[in-house]
Amino acid sequence: MLDKKGRLFGKVSLIDLFAVIIIAAVIAVVYFNVGGGRPIVGAEQYVLITFFNPVLHDFTVDAAEEAAERGLPVIDDANGVFLGNVVEVVRGDSISVMPNVHGIETVSHMPGHSSVYITSRVNGRLSDGAVVLGGNIYAVGSEVIIWAGSAKTMLHISEIMEIAED
């Protein structure tokens, strides 16, 4: 099987064979980690992403409203990914669910706090009910820390909706 020069069947060096296997493994790892193994569905299109937080301090909601007035960007704090520009902020009563003295969960409102929906508009790729942006997948229910202007907060993605180009 191996000859005096260390060649397999007299033709292939074991060192060369080992190098080819290592290179193939590195290429496979890079391919699947960079996203080559994930199918991306559809072409880029405009998408509205709506984020929600049930209890947010009023000064943070004020800063988000200012970001909407100025059309400022929404940035994923963890990855630095652009999530669009703020197009709308809807403020409501804060929604705090806590058990009462009898253990029954009740809804109460916290003074100085509001619930908030922040909607951004971005060009991305829809894939299985999610949007792919900057190589990351953002889906309904995902929790993300964002910057919207000077407002930094953790929110849940409550809706991802395709919109027509304008």
Side-chain angles (χ1 to χ4, degrees), residues 50 74 98 166:
T50 302
V74 175
M98 299 181 73
D166 49 17

Side-chain angles (χ1 to χ4, degrees), residues 66-146:
E66 180 183 335
E69 290 170 9
R70 298 174 52 200
L72 296 177
V74 175
I75 306 294
D76 177 348
D77 184 58
N79 303 311
V81 173
F82 174 70
L83 301 176
N85 293 90
V86 182
V87 294
E88 182 180 46
V89 173
V90 177
R91 180 191 299 243
D93 290 334
S94 63
I95 304 166
S96 183
V97 179
M98 299 181 73
N100 63 17
V101 293
H102 303 292
I104 299 170
E105 290 188 345
T106 58
V107 176
S108 63
H109 306 291
M110 293 178 60
H113 293 75
S114 300
S115 63
V116 67
Y117 287 94
I118 299 173
T119 302
S120 69
R121 179 180 179 268
V122 68
N123 197 13
R125 297 180 186 271
L126 288 178
S127 174
D128 298 327
V131 63
V132 179
L133 300 166
N136 295 295
I137 299 174
Y138 297 90
V140 171
S142 297
E143 195 171 75
V144 62
I145 297 174
I146 66 164

